[in-house]
């Protein structure tokens, strides 16, 4: 019997957005004291439910603003849902906003250890895997340079190399396979397939339906924060296309 690794139950996520054109902190404070602050409520996710089984790759599709990235952040624990709950089983490696844990004043080498620590890897583990990470990233001697000098492609390659060096139980991926040049995209694609073949449970967001069809078992189609369709990958992709 398969094991449920991610269970999303009736998740709603609302954000309060200030509707006033307030230009200064002083103006904000005086307006707040007078009780005159004007808010709009934006519902990013609206009663969303689905599950992901052990070893399964679940795709998330939908147009920009459909709620995909918000859903990934809720599952990763970055955001707490307004209503509903998310249960996860096992360690999660979220590949969201690659390199968001980097310090641009530090070198690539130093950021391997910083970013690795943020992802929960021990220093001992990172020391053992360091050469493998650098080799995969193809950064060569640039690893000793401050990353403020890196191109966005170099940053993405380093972040992917750190994040994918382990075999996590749950991998959360947001458009990761579009990083770097064509050769690196192909290499990261192969690495993803290795992780999936090794029993890792994957939640995968992409605008590339060919990738979704190839890599996913089931798909959730989000539309304006709601589940429009949920089922076998081919079926949902055909309806979406």
């Amino acid at each position: 019997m398969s094991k449920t690794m991610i269970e999303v139950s009736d998740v709603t996520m609302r954000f309060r957005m200030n509707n006033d054109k307030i230009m200064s902190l002083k103006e904000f404070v005086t307006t707040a004291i007078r009780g005159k602050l004007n808010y709009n409520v934006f519902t990013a996710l609206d009663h969303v439910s689905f599950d992901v089984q052990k070893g399964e790759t679940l795709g998330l599709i939908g147009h920009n603003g459909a709620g995909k990235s918000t859903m990934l952040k809720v599952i990763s624990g970055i955001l707490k849902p307004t209503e509903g709950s998310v249960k996860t089983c096992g360690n999660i490696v979220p590949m969201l906003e690659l390199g968001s844990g980097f310090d641009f004043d530090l070198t690539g080498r130093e950021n391997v250890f910083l970013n690795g620590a943020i992802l929960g890897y021990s220093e001992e583990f990172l020391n053992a895997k360091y050469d493998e990470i650098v080799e995969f990233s193809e950064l060569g001697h640039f690893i000793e340079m401050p990353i403020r000098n890196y191109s966005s492609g170099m940053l993405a390659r380093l972040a992917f190399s750190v994040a994918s060096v382990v075999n996590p139980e749950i991998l959360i991926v947001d458009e990761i396979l579009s990083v770097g040049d064509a050769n690196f995209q192909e290499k990261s694609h192969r690495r993803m397939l290795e992780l999936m073949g090794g029993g890792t449970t994957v939640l995968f967001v992409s605008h590339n339906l060919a990738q979704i069809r190839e890599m996913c078992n089931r798909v959730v189609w989000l539309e304006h924060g709601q589940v429009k369709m949920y089922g076998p990958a081919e079926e949902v992709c055909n309806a979406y296309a």
Side-chain angles (χ1 to χ4, degrees):
M1 188 173 158
S2 64
K3 181 180 180 183
T4 302
M5 299 295 281
I6 302 171
E7 191 175 351
V8 176
S9 305
D10 209 27
V11 163
T12 295
M13 188 78 218
R14 295 192 196 94
F15 296 99
R16 281 208 316 173
M17 300 164 82
N18 187 5
N19 211 18
D20 297 310
K21 290 186 171 60
I22 291 175
M23 306 304 286
S24 70
L25 181 61
K26 182 182 173 186
E27 195 182 344
F28 177 84
V29 171
T30 52
T31 310
I33 288 168
R34 295 205 319 268
K36 301 282 188 187
L37 279 180
N38 195 358
Y39 289 105
N40 276 346
V41 174
F42 171 66
T43 303
L45 296 169
D46 190 3
H47 300 288
V48 173
S49 297
F50 61 85
D51 60 67
V52 192
Q53 300 300 306
K54 184 172 175 57
E56 181 178 34
T57 300
L58 183 82
L60 266 181
I61 60 173
H63 301 294
N64 288 337
K68 302 184 301 297
S69 292
T70 304
M71 188 73 257
L72 296 189
K73 285 175 181 168
V74 169
I75 292 169
S76 302
I78 296 166
L79 293 175
K80 189 175 189 310
T82 314
E83 292 172 23
S85 66
V86 173
K87 289 180 189 162
T88 57
C89 181
N91 71 312
I92 298 178
V93 171
M95 289 194 198
L96 316 174
E97 294 159 11
L98 273 181
S100 57
F102 283 169
D103 183 327
F104 282 74
D105 291 326
L106 300 179
T107 65
R109 175 192 288 273
E110 290 164 329
N111 272 291
V112 166
F113 289 92
L114 174 67
N115 200 232
I118 289 168
L119 290 171
Y121 309 159
S122 70
E123 188 178 355
E124 187 184 13
F125 175 84
L126 290 165
N127 275 320
K129 292 284 188 177
Y130 178 77
D131 290 343
E132 189 185 322
I133 291 168
V134 177
E135 187 183 344
F136 194 94
S137 73
E138 300 172 5
L139 287 170
H141 65 276
F142 288 106
I143 200 72
E144 302 298 349
M145 280 175 60
I147 64 168
R148 63 171 174 269
N149 300 315
Y150 284 17
S151 67
S152 58
M154 290 164 77
L155 273 177
R157 287 188 344 233
L158 183 60
F160 183 88
S161 302
V162 176
S164 65
V165 74
V166 290
N167 289 335
E169 286 162 288
I170 300 171
L171 184 65
I172 296 182
V173 185
D174 191 359
E175 293 289 359
I176 191 77
L177 300 178
S178 56
V179 302
D181 58 21
N183 286 339
F184 193 80
Q185 282 183 36
E186 178 54 36
K187 191 161 82 164
S188 54
H189 186 138
R190 285 198 306 272
R191 177 73 185 124
M192 289 287 299
L193 291 174
E194 275 173 33
L195 287 173
M196 291 171 190
T200 297
T201 303
V202 183
L203 195 57
F204 179 51
V205 166
S206 179
H207 287 102
N208 185 329
L209 283 188
Q211 281 181 355
I212 292 279
R213 287 176 200 270
E214 177 196 0
M215 301 172 94
C216 299
N217 310 99
R218 289 186 296 153
V219 172
V220 175
W221 170 7
L222 288 178
E223 195 77 51
H224 304 299
Q226 295 181 319
V227 176
K228 172 103 176 182
M229 193 173 175
Y230 173 36
E234 194 67 24
E235 212 174 285
V236 179
C237 286
N238 287 345
Y240 181 75

